[in-house]
Amino acid sequence: MTAINDVLRSRARLVIAGVVTLLFVAPIYLTIVNAFKAQSQILESPEALPIPPTIDNLSTALARPDGLIQLGLQNSLIDVVFSVALLIPLASAFSFYISRRKTKARAAVLALLAAGLMIPPQVILLPTIQILTFFGLDHSYPGLILSNLGGGYLSFAVFVYVGFMRAVPNEIIEAARLDGASGLRIWWGIVMPLVRPATATVAIFSSLWIWNDFLNPLFILGPLQGQTITTGLYLTIGQYSVDYGQLFGIMFLAAIVPVVGYLFVQKQFIAGLTSGSSK
Amino acid sequence: MRTRKSRASRDNGLFGLAAVAFGLYLCFLVLPLLLSLKSSFTDENPLRATSGFVGLDNYGEMIHDDQLHASLGFTLILAVGVTIAANAIGIAFAMMLNRTNLSYRVMRTIAFLPQVLSGVIVGFVWQTILTQQGLLNVTLQRIGLIDSPIAWLGSPNLALLSIGVVVTWILTGFTTVVYLAALQGVPVELYDSAAIDGATTWQRFTRITFPLIAPGMTISVTISLITVLKLYDVITVLTGGGPANSTRSTALYIVKLAFTDNRFGYASAVAMLVLAMSAAIALSVTSLLRRREVNF
């Protein structure tokens, strides 16, 4: 009798959890189903499945003369790839260097870097643009990428790397030194392969944050250099768009890259989040 | 002596890379911060060639700036409300999804999705739902719950509530994952012995679960608060700060002062206030919640 009760109870729990989860992601469900419906179908019953489905919204979005989706994805990709490809070697080399320094020096540098995690971006946006202007790099991709590298992402990456690098045994490094290996060689050849999980965490989260960033590309890149996928959506769609089919189609296409990326790396994603937050 | 020297020179390459990283941090985080601090004592304006030192005038102006006070009030109410809601729902979700079967793992993956989307996409999708002729009003009218559309984003109190719901929705994926990790650290034996002692479900929650997820709560509450204090994109897309500036957060106000009004000096002073507030809130909340961790 109790066994049957247990089965019923766990079934009920599963059903309730399923319903709650579905309600919670209702806005995402609405985006997916309505991306494949015409405006009249959407207004008639927003929650219905797209029967028959139409790809008009998607093809119209992709055929826009301003290339909102294609150019936006391309520009965001440039921003993310260069920023992350530079961030990883810089942050890991820096972390390796200071993780081998004396405790006091290391603590002082880490305290200075902690500020980068807390400072709201709008506090330093204005002077950052002034500094970029001074170097002639305002309204340019190199300027945007440099400000990404120097801003809070570096702090985040260093904190992840230092945690992992402290766990690397000193003997391995000393042995390599006695063999005459240079600091660069030890860092790239020995330490980096040992801290791959840290690199995965840094790569995943900084990619996501830079991809979704809005304030910096909006003001540092400006309208002349083309839009990233976030600023492009904001500036093109404007405040009150009434063609819901079009809007959902565009949102669907804009969201596909981060969502598919997340589904591919979700294990490392959750692992990175939980290890970072339980420290 | 010779070996030591050559050993140091072998580290030149590594030192060089580390120095570049640190230089970038100084140039694009520390220096902007110092420049912002300096500007906050001037009447800097990009439309004028020169700017003058005005002492504490900008800080004095903040005392009488009603628009600033309104934006601070909105930001704080939003931060506190969203933090409480996102953490309460996060704990409930985590307890609900704290099973290892495949179906629960799939639900966890889905529940985290809002965290992956940009604030701009989230803003537009929710705007389509909440606007005057939006999907929510269309549905409510169709099933006869309301006669005329409700201005979810068009009246000050409802707009505050709507933004609160949307931001809670974004943050809940994050808080859920943090609490799930915290729950995994709670020993199952504690629940077993509590069950033997005849503890009710509520007692098991208040006496075991809640105290033991304290470390997760410290990080989850702190990050929730900081996220709302920084929030810019979602509000910009959802309401643009309206109606009548009622949902203009301090982040939006700083950007308006700096880039619309060109008042760099005053914008910098407000930015310094926000920075001090963020730091004070983060530090005090962390130490307060940490004390709870130690006490147990």
Side-chain angles (χ1 to χ4, degrees), chain B residues 212-231:
Chain B
L212 280 177
I213 56 173
M217 187 175 250
T218 306
I219 191 84
S220 178
V221 166
T222 311
I223 291 189
S224 303
L225 282 171
I226 291 181
T227 305
V228 182
L229 291 177
K230 284 187 193 177
L231 198 67

Side-chain angles (χ1 to χ4, degrees), chain A residues 13 24 43-45 47 97 112 116 122-123 126-127 130 174 177 181 183 212 239 244 247 262 266 269 274, chain B residues 7 10-11 15 25 32 36 44 95-96 99 109 112 116 118 127-128 133 138 142 169 181 237 251 264:
Chain A
R13 183 194 170 97
F24 180 71
L43 289 176
E44 200 177 301
S45 50
E47 74 288 352
Y97 188 79
L112 184 63
Q122 62 273 7
V123 170
L126 196 59
Q130 291 172 325
E174 278 310 310
R177 278 193 188 287
N212 285 340
Q239 274 263 286
Y244 296 150
L247 193 123
Y262 159 67
Q266 52 141 327
F269 201 99
T274 46
Chain B
R7 197 173 171 167
R10 271 192 272 139
D11 278 348
F15 176 77
Y25 185 75
S36 207
E44 193 178 340
M95 291 175 67
M96 182 179 84
R99 290 282 186 284
T109 303
F112 194 74
V116 182
S118 68
Q127 191 189 69
T128 317
Q133 288 89 37
V138 166
R142 199 185 57 202
W169 184 73
V237 173
F264 281 18

Side-chain angles (χ1 to χ4, degrees), chain A residues 132 137 139-149 220-221, chain B residues 28:
Chain A
L132 288 172
L137 289 171
H139 303 307
S140 75
Y141 283 95
L144 178 61
I145 291 161
L146 278 179
S147 69
N148 283 340
L149 290 176
I220 292 179
L221 218 46
Chain B
F28 292 105

